[in-house]
Amino acid sequence: MKEKNDFSRTGSLPTGEGGGRGHRILFSDFDGTLTTSDSMMSIIIYQRGKLGLALSLLRILPWLILMFMGRYSNQRTKERLLHNCFGKMTEEEFNDFCQSFADSHRQILRKSVYDRLMEAKKNGDEVVVVTASPENWVSRLVPEFKVLGTKMEFNPCFTGRFLTPNCYAQEKVNRILAAYPQLKSDRKAYHVTAFGDSRGDREMLAFADEQIFKPI
């Protein structure tokens, strides 16, 4: 039986029906679940300020409109925005920038969720962040956890393309199964908990034995 819980509870994570299974894995969304704000907007503001963000969004306005009309992909829109902001950076330069951003923005982490995930890790559970945001900055904001995120292509600067599909919706489950094939071959040996806050997490939540939805 799948459970829904809120993020405000303290103490150990609930055991649930699968609590007796040998290994527990927690998969958490990042933006809006483990954070209190959108990290992509935050890192762009960190680079060029709120006015710079507005101008960057204005430059890709035609594609934003098409995306909201369902006629242009979320991935291509995100690639255009990130290329507009970071297309002149090499991978090394971008990673250094992401580290600087992470060092000054740990406060965007949602303490109630972060603390629960850290508690689970201390109890021996595996904790994995599964996110549509690029791994470059997410892995530096939460180096305590493994990160499965979108991968950016550099040659040597950011090309404006992702190496992987945008890690969103069904792609989150695809990435989980690629990293943990045993969840397909020996599913009953594991108890999976998923944290999420939006429709982009729906498939990951449905995949889990235990669902924790909408942080408060």
Side-chain angles (χ1 to χ4, degrees):
M1 186 178 195
K2 292 182 178 179
E3 301 174 354
K4 291 186 179 181
N5 305 278
D6 68 57
F7 289 81
S8 62
R9 292 175 50 183
T10 58
S12 299
L13 285 162
T15 301
E17 185 176 318
R21 293 175 178 176
H23 189 63
R24 295 173 63 88
I25 308 179
L26 286 75
F27 296 106
S28 176
D29 171 53
F30 190 66
D31 293 291
T33 300
L34 187 48
T35 71
T36 57
S37 61
D38 185 290
S39 65
M40 187 168 72
M41 298 298 103
S42 296
I43 197 170
I44 294 173
I45 291 171
Y46 181 65
Q47 183 206 33
R48 54 186 56 195
K50 291 182 179 180
L51 178 59
L53 170 62
L55 291 173
S56 296
L57 291 171
L58 188 62
R59 290 189 186 101
I60 65 164
L61 184 59
W63 294 279
L64 280 173
I65 293 171
L66 289 173
M67 183 189 74
F68 287 122
M69 293 173 62
R71 298 176 60 184
Y72 197 73
S73 75
N74 176 282
Q75 173 165 334
R76 285 299 297 136
T77 306
K78 185 186 294 187
E79 287 172 334
R80 284 182 179 275
L81 177 59
L82 289 174
H83 187 253
N84 182 269
C85 298
F86 304 111
K88 294 182 179 180
M89 289 188 181
T90 65
E91 186 170 13
E92 182 179 2
E93 290 169 341
F94 184 63
N95 285 337
D96 287 344
F97 178 77
C98 289
Q99 186 62 62
S100 176
F101 167 74
D103 290 343
S104 61
H105 283 74
R106 289 276 292 186
Q107 72 275 8
I108 72 172
L109 298 178
R110 191 182 301 275
K111 188 177 185 303
S112 59
V113 181
Y114 176 82
D115 287 349
R116 290 194 68 187
L117 296 178
M118 281 301 297
E119 179 187 10
K121 183 178 179 180
K122 289 175 183 176
N123 289 338
D125 300 338
E126 188 160 2
V127 177
V128 185
V129 174
V130 188
T131 176
S133 288
E135 292 180 356
N136 306 71
W137 68 74
V138 176
S139 63
R140 288 165 172 81
L141 277 164
V142 284
E144 305 89 342
F145 308 134
K146 180 174 180 176
V147 174
L148 299 176
T150 300
K151 295 181 184 294
M152 299 168 66
E153 180 184 76
F154 291 85
N155 186 32
C157 297
F158 176 48
T159 64
R161 293 186 296 272
F162 295 152
L163 287 171
T164 59
N166 191 33
C167 192
Y168 177 87
Q170 181 58 38
E171 185 60 24
K172 290 196 172 189
V173 178
N174 295 344
R175 292 291 300 279
I176 288 169
L177 291 175
Y180 298 90
Q182 64 271 32
L183 290 177
K184 181 180 287 187
S185 62
D186 194 16
R187 183 69 172 82
K188 291 183 178 180
Y190 297 84
H191 180 73
V192 173
T193 301
F195 292 69
D197 78 310
S198 71
R199 63 186 179 88
D201 303 315
R202 190 176 297 161
E203 289 82 356
M204 182 173 71
L205 291 164
F207 174 76
D209 302 297
E210 182 181 337
Q211 303 163 317
I212 303 180
F213 185 69
K214 287 284 187 186
I216 60 172

